[in-house]
Amino acid sequence: PDRVARRRGARADGLVFADGGGGALSPRSIVREAELLVAVDAEVSAIARLMEHEVTEPIEVNGRDFLLAGGLLAAHADGGQISHDEWDILVQLLLPLCADPEAELSAVGTAEEARRMLEESAAWLREHAGTERFTLYTQLAHLVAVDGRLMGHEQEFMLEVAEMLGIPEKSAKDTLYEVLAGYLQQSRAEASPN
């Protein structure tokens, strides 16, 4: 009931809520004729806009493609299937960059397609991005470290990605081990009886 509102006058933008509060109809609202309406708060509206969001700036497009392709390849670098934790991290990383991360991930059909997308986006990032390269590398490191260990070809893959981005090997290893150490500390804390 607190979201039900009545216009202050015919076709007026001013609103009176059922609880006595007031507000105004957003200029973006498509509601123009109704006397009674249900208000959607700004937070819900912001979430709806975010869900429709698609990046258009080259840095964001290449960052998205890098995380999409690199994330899928990193999650499989241990030789197994993508874990629930890896999937969750990848989806969370992609949420600010695309409206439907799961659909975007599913659209990458093959490992070869992912590899091509990774190489193209990493080449663009190496040429045009600055510190964003390190941020993206760190984000990808979370996928291989979330289980608290480096398995299979995960470290080898991450060092290859660092080279694609123009990140020095020492810096890449330091970042990878720092992220891994964070997950190890977290798992120890969770296992501790205190």
Side-chain angles (χ1 to χ4, degrees):
D2 61 338
R3 295 183 189 265
V4 175
R6 177 183 302 274
R7 291 180 189 272
R8 292 190 185 270
R11 299 174 75 70
D13 288 340
L15 304 173
V16 177
F17 290 98
D19 67 359
L25 191 63
S26 169
R28 293 189 313 240
S29 175
I30 60 170
V31 178
R32 291 288 150 215
E33 302 294 325
E35 177 186 354
L36 295 174
L37 51 109
V38 177
V40 177
D41 63 27
E43 199 172 312
V44 172
S45 181
I47 290 170
R49 281 192 306 279
L50 179 63
M51 292 183 72
E52 297 170 356
H53 177 70
E54 283 297 324
V55 294
T56 56
E57 295 296 318
I59 187 79
E60 294 173 328
V61 170
N62 284 283
R64 178 202 59 209
D65 291 351
F66 174 83
L67 289 173
L68 269 169
L72 288 170
L73 293 169
H76 289 93
D78 64 0
Q81 295 295 320
I82 189 166
S83 74
H84 179 73
D85 289 338
E86 290 168 332
W87 184 261
D88 284 348
I89 288 172
L90 190 50
V91 168
Q92 290 303 312
L93 291 173
L94 291 168
L95 268 175
L97 301 170
C98 56
D100 188 352
E102 292 181 351
E104 296 279 349
L105 289 163
S106 297
V108 180
T110 64
E112 293 77 23
E113 184 180 345
R115 170 62 68 175
R116 181 191 50 74
M117 186 184 292
L118 175 65
E119 289 172 355
E120 288 175 5
S121 59
W124 190 95
L125 291 163
R126 181 180 182 138
E127 181 71 26
H128 301 284
T131 59
E132 297 91 349
R133 296 174 298 132
F134 293 88
T135 301
L136 290 164
Y137 181 81
T138 301
Q139 290 174 329
L140 209 55
H142 284 273
L143 286 167
V144 298
V146 68
D147 58 5
R149 59 186 184 262
L150 295 177
M151 299 192 49
H153 297 285
E154 290 176 329
Q155 181 172 337
E156 178 184 325
F157 173 77
M158 290 302 294
L159 293 176
E160 179 184 356
V161 168
E163 186 178 337
M164 287 180 193
L165 290 172
I167 295 174
E169 184 175 332
K170 181 182 180 335
S171 180
K173 283 183 177 179
D174 288 349
T175 299
L176 188 56
Y177 297 145
E178 184 178 315
V179 171
L180 181 61
Y183 283 106
L184 288 171
Q185 289 173 353
Q186 179 182 341
S187 80
R188 281 193 194 119
E190 290 170 357
S192 173
N194 296 5

